[in-house]
Structures are given as C-alpha cells and as structure tokens.
Amino acid sequence: MQVFIAIAMFIGDGLYNFLKVISKTIAGLSRQLRSKRDAGTILPLADRASPDTYVEIAAILVTSLPHIFPQLKWYYILVIYVFAPTLAFCNAYGCGLTDWSLASTYGKLAIFTIGAWTGKSHFGVLAGLAACGVMTNIVSTASDLMQDFKTV
C-alpha cells in the first residue's frame, strides 16, 4: 500500500509541476511572439517548437506494432503515446528529486490498463506486456536523461 502512495505522490507532484511549466512556457512564448510580431521580424525555424519527430516515431509504431503483436491494436499504442510524455515528465521530475526511476511502475500501469481494456478473451496479457515495453521505453528515456544531467 505504501508503494502506491509514493507513486501517487510522484504523479501528483509531477503533474502539478508539468502544468506549471506548460502554463509559464505558453505565457512566455505568447509574449515573445507578440513582441517579435510587433517588431516586424520573422521567427527563424529554430525558434518554433516542433514535436514532429515524436509524432513520426509514434506513427511508425502505431502502424508496425499491430503487425508484430496482433493483440495490440493501433489505438492502444496511440493512447500510450498521448499519455507517455506527461508520465515521462513526472518520472524525470521524481528521478531528479530522489534518484528513483518509476519507469517499471508506469510499465506495470500499462500492463493493467491495456490488459484490462483488451480483455481476457482477446489475449489481454500479451497486449498488456507489449504495451508495457512501449511505455517503459518512452518513460525511462526521460529519467535516463535526468540522471545524465545530474552526473555532468
């Protein structure tokens, strides 16, 4: 029971800071865009935030993983790729505070949710395990990056 409380604290604190960072980033970018637009300058390509690479990788996996694991439908992977950045931020934030990565725990969360969503009759265990691999790979990258920042 205590582990679930710790996970809930990680997610709650991480979500709070995620929303705080996003709101301040959006406010700062809008101020910057307004000032550059008023000055008549055109923003270079490097000043524009672009999540194209993430979307491309998600599109590749959404189309290819159902061929490898037929139990894992394309919309399960899409849902994972929608929620994973927020969980990755929470994991990186918690790993930065405590040196404790919860990537495997978020993978277990994917096993339970995708496995239950798929159902026993459609081999939900296999779909859950494949979803666990996808979620763990996405979320663990953020905590690995945080560890690299802390050791430099």
Side-chain angles (χ1 to χ4, degrees):
M1 185 68 177
Q2 293 172 350
V3 174
F4 293 118
I5 293 171
I7 294 167
M9 288 175 53
F10 262 61
I11 292 176
D13 195 24
L15 283 176
Y16 167 75
N17 284 298
F18 179 73
L19 294 175
K20 187 168 78 171
V21 166
I22 290 293
S23 65
K24 289 188 182 224
T25 301
I26 290 172
L29 282 175
S30 66
R31 273 193 308 263
Q32 184 180 11
L33 287 173
R34 240 179 290 129
S35 68
K36 286 190 178 187
R37 192 174 353 150
D38 293 341
T41 59
I42 298 174
L43 289 176
L45 189 59
D47 284 351
R48 298 181 191 149
S50 174
D52 290 342
T53 306
Y54 186 77
V55 171
E56 289 170 1
I57 292 172
I60 290 169
L61 282 178
V62 163
T63 56
S64 64
L65 272 181
H67 295 294
I68 299 169
F69 301 103
Q71 300 83 8
L72 193 63
K73 303 298 181 200
W74 64 270
Y75 45 89
Y76 300 154
I77 303 165
L78 189 64
V79 167
I80 289 171
Y81 265 89
V82 167
F83 286 110
T86 305
L87 293 177
F89 181 89
C90 295
N91 192 32
Y93 178 75
C95 186
L97 292 176
T98 63
D99 288 336
W100 186 32
S101 176
L102 291 177
S104 62
T105 306
Y106 295 128
K108 292 173 193 165
L109 182 67
I111 289 175
F112 294 139
T113 54
I114 301 298
W117 190 7
T118 304
K120 181 181 174 184
S121 61
H122 298 324
F123 302 102
V125 174
L126 293 175
L129 288 172
C132 172
V134 173
M135 179 69 83
T136 303
N137 283 325
I138 298 169
V139 173
S140 69
T141 305
S143 64
D144 293 343
L145 186 61
M146 178 57 74
Q147 286 293 63
D148 289 344
F149 284 151
K150 288 179 73 173
T151 57
V152 171

